[in-house]
Amino acid sequence: MSVPVKIVVVYHSGYGHTVKIAEAVAHGAAAINGASVELVTAEEAPDRWELLDGADAIIMGAPTYMGSLSAPFKAFMDATSHLQYAEKRWEGKIAAGFTNGASRGGDKQNSLVQLMTFAAQHQMHWVNLGPNYGNNRSYTNEDILNRDSYTLGMAGQADMDQSGDVAPPSSDLRTAEFLGRRVAEVAQELSAGRAMLGRPANRGVSGGADNQDPEGRGVMPSKRNQSTTGLVTA
């Protein structure tokens, strides 16, 4: 059964390594029948909010610099606070993430946690990487999925003295493809489940916390009578 889903891969790449991972993620997602995929850079994203708002899944990635996500990608994250966060435009969407660094560890876990927290703030559903830890046995080698052993998302490693033409290695790119396929499949499962249950995502609630309080207990009664002029009526 083919379920149509829209997936956007939004990313920043500083030296040509992370874009290779982003392309592999997109390739993996597009391999799932029914999935349409588009790549968007973090710099382009503020001009393409309509595309991201209409996606079923957003896969996000950036290099890890000094133990956290790169500044251009963080600028994209901050820009979502004005409408996407305030109006719950991404509520209920699928989210996943990837990062890349020159070192094996390089505190890349911090970047994945940062992405997962960002997704949670938008009330999205986070999809982890999936495969078990990779090269951790005496009879395995580097040419294996998840060779650097991450679970929250995909973490690649590219030697800083190599260009994006040769790094990261093929095992990392295959791991990125795995993540893309996994996200597309989960997005289809969620879309089909919602259709069967008749439970569409509740997106686009304006007004911030005042209108997003399901119990109606967080706002003083006088504030609920606030007029459109901004004056509070007694």
Side-chain angles (χ1 to χ4, degrees), residues 45-54 76 79-80 84 89-90:
D47 294 324
R48 307 198 67 185
W49 288 138
E50 185 176 348
L51 175 68
L52 276 78
D53 292 350
F76 152 73
T80 67
Q84 282 66 34
R89 292 189 178 187
W90 295 356

Side-chain angles (χ1 to χ4, degrees), residues 141-181:
N141 57 47
E142 293 291 281
D143 191 28
I144 190 172
L145 292 181
N146 198 18
R147 68 187 179 106
D148 284 343
S149 300
Y150 285 84
T151 54
L152 289 183
M154 187 274 161
Q157 184 267 327
D159 292 335
M160 65 174 62
D161 59 341
Q162 292 184 317
S163 70
D165 294 333
V166 294
S170 63
S171 55
D172 286 359
L173 299 182
R174 296 199 312 274
T175 305
E177 290 181 358
F178 187 100
L179 176 65
R181 291 194 300 271

Side-chain angles (χ1 to χ4, degrees), residues 207-226:
D210 290 3
N211 292 339
Q212 295 169 19
D213 178 8
E215 293 184 332
R217 295 170 181 261
V219 182
M220 297 295 291
S222 61
K223 291 290 186 180
R224 295 196 187 103
N225 297 325
Q226 191 169 10

Side-chain angles (χ1 to χ4, degrees), residues 45-186:
D47 294 324
R48 307 198 67 185
W49 288 138
E50 185 176 348
L51 175 68
L52 276 78
D53 292 350
D56 296 290
I58 302 175
I59 310 175
M60 304 168 284
T64 295
Y65 294 155
M66 303 305 294
S68 65
L69 294 168
S70 59
F73 195 86
K74 185 60 169 63
F76 152 73
M77 293 167 67
D78 291 347
T80 67
S81 66
H82 303 297
L83 288 176
Q84 282 66 34
Y85 172 77
E87 297 185 359
K88 294 177 62 178
R89 292 189 178 187
W90 295 356
E91 189 273 338
K93 294 182 186 293
I94 295 294
F98 58 91
T99 188
N100 180 73
S103 301
R104 281 299 182 94
D107 296 314
K108 287 180 283 191
Q109 183 81 350
N110 289 347
S111 294
L112 295 176
V113 170
Q114 193 173 10
L115 288 170
M116 184 175 63
T117 302
F118 174 72
Q121 289 181 324
H122 281 281
Q123 301 176 19
M124 304 171 81
H125 301 301
W126 184 260
V127 175
N128 58 34
L129 178 59
N132 291 331
Y133 295 141
N135 187 19
N136 59 0
R137 288 155 288 173
S138 62
Y139 50 85
T140 57
N141 57 47
E142 293 291 281
D143 191 28
I144 190 172
L145 292 181
N146 198 18
R147 68 187 179 106
D148 284 343
S149 300
Y150 285 84
T151 54
L152 289 183
M154 187 274 161
Q157 184 267 327
D159 292 335
M160 65 174 62
D161 59 341
Q162 292 184 317
S163 70
D165 294 333
V166 294
S170 63
S171 55
D172 286 359
L173 299 182
R174 296 199 312 274
T175 305
E177 290 181 358
F178 187 100
L179 176 65
R181 291 194 300 271
R182 179 173 169 83
V183 170
E185 289 172 345
V186 172

